[in-house]
Amino acid sequence: MLDTKALCKTVCRIVVAATGLPADHVIVGDPGGPAPAGSYCAVRLQNPEQFGQAHATQRDVPALDDPQYEDIIVRVATQFTLGFSVNFYRDGAVANAAALCEANKREPVKSLLRSAKLGWSRVSGINNLTGLYQGGMEERAQLTLYLYGESIAEDRVQRIYRVGFEVQTEQSGAIAQGEVNGLSG
């Protein structure tokens, strides 16, 4: 399952590393609170999209009910492209947005991506949204940062090791009984 809050916080740290904005001026978008004073940035996950085929693997583990048997853990890793709307406000908005372009080449950003197990895809074009706001000009810029990530789900599958059976014929009514035991080979 995607932890959208943790993903947004990681992107906030990437923005801080790339732009030099103070950490308390890079916020998760739509918080319902007041905007920070001065230049700031708001980050919001907008469109996670699944791509490619999920990677499915399995491994044997001791069964929970009897350790002489084994269960299977099936792990499915679904790959996503994660689009984050990154909005810059006030002085330096366009320059801050431009600082994200090719930021994946910078060591602090590489480190943040590695620790969050994310991959860099691309940055959209910068939208210069500078315009009148409350009677004065306010610099604004927006871009979309695309990252690669994955969501992992694991399920325990119990194996059937012993099955009893009974077979009866229609003509003679003869009955055969038995058991199939997976431990006997």
Side-chain angles (χ1 to χ4, degrees):
M1 179 181 290
L2 291 174
D3 184 348
T4 58
K5 195 170 193 175
L7 287 167
C8 285
K9 287 184 178 185
T10 298
V11 172
C12 287
R13 288 192 293 276
I14 289 170
V15 170
V16 167
T19 65
L21 283 170
D24 62 344
H25 283 68
V26 180
I27 61 173
V28 176
D30 306 322
S39 299
Y40 73 100
C41 176
V43 173
R44 184 173 43 87
L45 177 63
Q46 62 184 23
N47 60 343
E49 297 177 12
Q50 178 267 335
F51 75 93
Q53 288 292 326
H55 297 223
T57 58
Q58 62 184 38
R59 68 182 190 282
D60 297 331
V61 295
L64 294 175
D65 54 345
D66 189 344
Q68 74 173 331
Y69 299 112
E70 289 183 333
D71 289 342
I72 302 169
I73 299 292
V74 178
R75 179 182 186 266
V76 178
T78 304
Q79 300 172 333
F80 287 95
T81 299
L82 306 163
F84 294 89
S85 179
V86 182
N87 295 275
F88 294 94
Y89 300 90
R90 303 187 184 128
D91 292 340
V94 175
N96 284 329
L100 276 178
C101 298
E102 301 292 331
N104 60 315
K105 308 287 192 299
R106 299 183 56 201
E107 289 303 322
V109 174
K110 285 184 193 179
S111 177
L112 288 166
L113 290 168
R114 271 192 301 272
S115 65
K117 297 181 180 176
L118 294 170
W120 186 279
S121 176
R122 67 189 186 281
V123 173
S124 71
I126 299 169
N127 297 310
N128 186 344
L129 304 175
T130 301
L132 282 176
Y133 181 72
Q134 295 183 352
M137 291 297 284
E138 180 174 291
E139 191 176 353
R140 292 181 177 196
Q142 185 276 336
L143 58 78
T144 303
L145 171 61
Y146 294 96
L147 300 177
Y148 295 118
E150 67 181 10
S151 176
I152 297 173
E154 288 189 344
D155 298 299
R156 180 178 286 267
V157 179
Q158 295 178 325
R159 289 184 175 157
I160 298 174
Y161 280 94
R162 191 174 308 124
V163 176
F165 66 89
E166 182 177 295
V167 180
Q168 182 175 355
T169 65
E170 287 183 19
Q171 289 82 15
S172 67
I175 295 177
Q177 295 179 337
E179 182 178 275
V180 177
N181 183 340
L183 293 178
S184 62

